[in-house]
Amino acid sequence: MTSVDIQPFAIEKNPAPVSDGRRQRLLESPVFGEVFTDHMATIKYSKDQGWHGAKIGPRQALSLDPSALVLHYAQAIFEGMKAYRLDGGGTGLFRPEQNARRFRHSATRLAMPLLPEELFTESVRALARVDNDWIPSAPGFALYLRPFMVATEAVLGVRSSAEYLYCVVASPVGPYFKSGAAAVTLWASDHFTRAAPGGTGDAKCGGNYAASLAAQAEAIREQCDQVVFLDAVERCWIEELGGMNIFFVFADGSIQTPPLTGTILAGITRESLITMARDLGMTVREEPYSIDQWQEDATSGRLRESFACGTAAVVAPIGRVKGRNHHFTIGDGSPGLITQRLKAALTDLQFGRAPDPRGWLERLS
Ligand code: PLP
Ligand code: COI
């Protein structure tokens, strides 16, 4: 990667921030993604000027021309990461350079300009520092950071934009699932697919999430928490959830997760858990697993646990799976021991409670 001079972010403090008392109340039990901080980071891009105008300013509405390309052809990508209040004091980010790299991967697929990794990580650090008081301290809570980039050129021709806005907003969050259930129920979609070979499945672009909504609505109608997608070709291989990767835990203690074939997102939580599980001496396979085999193994007891994982959801035990042709319980339907052990190992690292031999936790303060 070419090195760039990082101009410091100009900082304009919000002249009317949320009061201390109101912020404290908001931090007590935020619904995921519904509460926002006082500031945002922005950087503009144009073909002539490149990346310019890096700024942390008051959080405010954006002004876009109604013909802005993003509003018509969805040239939009995003990331999701968290700033943690650490147990021993101070705050930190978890592997932010991985999000910076994935953002560039998504930009490449959507024919967008590549934001230098250092500008990405610096934007997130600068925002988390300015909004430091918004990083919650309740156990398991964090400040969710949402970097995104949209095409802003006003033109209706179907082509890549010449102008973009990169922006980061921040939102204090607690648990992802409203139900608060110990284990989630999945709906296996046999009708909708999320991504096809050659498509955008491994890019974090808004369109993938728009395409998942009808399937997610079906899951909710069927009294499930989330949809699990199957592959678009053979319609039998488990891929991932709308916003999480998936793992399977077997009676012999080994774990398995679908391979990165281009149709699923390369989750940073996924990769971290694979590495940590191997460190703990577990056998980890990145191999395809079919929905029928999942049902058979859950029924026979060969499979003991399953969980979903991602930045927002952390590690979410899966208790039950439903579908038009499937209906089964994983183990006894409650969170499994290996799932809980891996979740503890991950969150101990993220909250600064465990040794960090790989330097995954970046201290902010
Ligand atoms: N898969 C999808 C479709 C996602 O949106 C996410 C969330 O970012 C993940 C997987 C998990 O990725 P990560 O662990 O990097 O948050
Ligand atoms: C994340 O875990 O960061 C995600 O992006 C998932 C979802 C909130 C879209």
Side-chain angles (χ1 to χ4, degrees):
M1 198 199 75
T2 51
S3 162
V4 284
D5 282 336
I6 303 299
Q7 310 142 337
F9 279 68
I11 307 232
E12 184 196 333
K13 283 287 188 81
N14 189 329
V18 170
S19 71
D20 287 351
R22 182 163 156 69
R23 192 182 59 247
Q24 288 311 332
R25 282 195 300 282
L26 287 170
L27 289 180
E28 275 164 23
S29 58
V31 174
F32 185 90
E34 293 191 5
V35 176
F36 296 98
T37 64
D38 294 312
H39 297 91
M40 64 192 210
T42 48
I43 313 177
K44 290 182 181 154
Y45 176 90
S46 70
K47 268 207 170 125
D48 303 338
Q49 289 175 272
W51 297 102
H52 61 280
K55 178 179 166 185
I56 306 290
R59 185 177 186 283
Q60 60 187 15
L62 302 174
S63 163
L64 278 185
D65 189 283
S67 300
L69 274 166
V70 65
L71 301 177
H72 303 269
Y73 310 127
Q75 207 187 1
I77 58 171
F78 70 98
E79 267 305 320
M81 53 210 291
K82 282 174 173 170
Y84 302 90
R85 194 162 292 284
L86 308 180
D87 273 24
T91 56
L93 297 170
F94 186 68
R95 310 185 75 186
E97 73 293 341
Q98 296 297 318
N99 296 92
R101 279 177 54 185
R102 191 169 64 190
F103 197 66
R104 288 166 64 87
H105 174 77
S106 301
T108 304
R109 180 63 183 85
L110 275 278
M112 295 168 108
L114 304 188
L115 182 68
E117 283 182 24
E118 299 98 300
L119 258 184
F120 178 100
T121 44
E122 198 45 41
S123 69
V124 169
R125 285 185 201 119
L127 181 64
R129 287 200 178 104
V130 170
D131 278 335
N132 173 68
D133 290 346
W134 285 94
I135 305 178
S137 48
F141 285 37
L143 183 63
Y144 185 77
L145 297 155
R146 171 51 66 83
F148 64 98
M149 172 163 48
V150 292
T152 51
E153 189 188 357
V155 59
L156 294 181
V158 182
R159 62 164 170 78
S160 169
S161 178
E163 292 163 15
Y164 296 86
L165 175 70
Y166 167 80
C167 183
V168 191
V169 293
S171 170
V173 295
Y176 184 71
F177 289 102
K178 278 193 207 125
S179 72
V184 296
T185 302
L186 301 187
W187 174 252
S189 177
D190 60 0
H191 176 57
F192 296 112
T193 57
R194 177 186 173 275
T200 56
D202 72 345
K204 210 160 161 55
C205 61
N208 288 346
Y209 298 79
S212 76
L213 297 178
Q216 177 63 18
E218 186 177 69
I220 302 289
R221 275 199 303 279
E222 299 289 344
Q223 273 93 45
C224 296
D225 299 288
Q226 278 279 319
V227 57
V228 55
F229 288 103
L230 305 178
D231 78 289
V233 179
E234 294 178 66
R235 305 289 187 111
C236 66
W237 305 108
I238 300 157
E239 297 234 298
E240 63 176 327
L241 281 54
M244 285 155 240
N245 294 117
I246 190 164
F247 279 79
F248 310 97
V249 182
F250 294 87
D252 65 3
S254 66
I255 66 178
Q256 185 163 334
T257 190
L260 301 178
T261 54
T263 53
I264 67 174
L265 194 77
I268 295 158
T269 317
R270 172 189 181 280
E271 200 268 327
S272 304
L273 288 170
I274 290 175
T275 304
M276 295 175 94
R278 287 190 175 136
D279 284 352
L280 290 167
M282 295 178 194
T283 300
V284 185
R285 292 179 297 276
E286 293 180 70
E287 286 172 18
Y289 195 49
S290 75
I291 180 85
D292 290 343
Q293 193 69 48
W294 194 15
Q295 172 155 289
E296 190 180 316
D297 291 345
T299 309
S300 73
R302 181 174 168 258
L303 173 125
R304 292 276 166 82
E305 307 176 25
S306 303
F307 61 87
C309 68
T311 299
V314 194
V315 169
I318 299 166
R320 254 167 276 279
V321 181
K322 286 163 58 175
R324 262 175 278 277
N325 302 312
H326 300 93
H327 204 295
F328 55 100
T329 301
I330 315 280
D332 65 2
S334 60
L337 286 176
I338 292 180
T339 301
Q340 294 180 68
R341 188 169 169 211
L342 287 172
K343 180 177 179 179
L346 177 72
T347 52
D348 281 352
L349 196 53
Q350 291 171 331
F351 285 92
R353 292 189 288 262
D356 179 19
R358 293 193 161 79
W360 281 352
L361 185 65
E362 181 191 298
R363 282 182 184 262
L364 281 169
S365 62

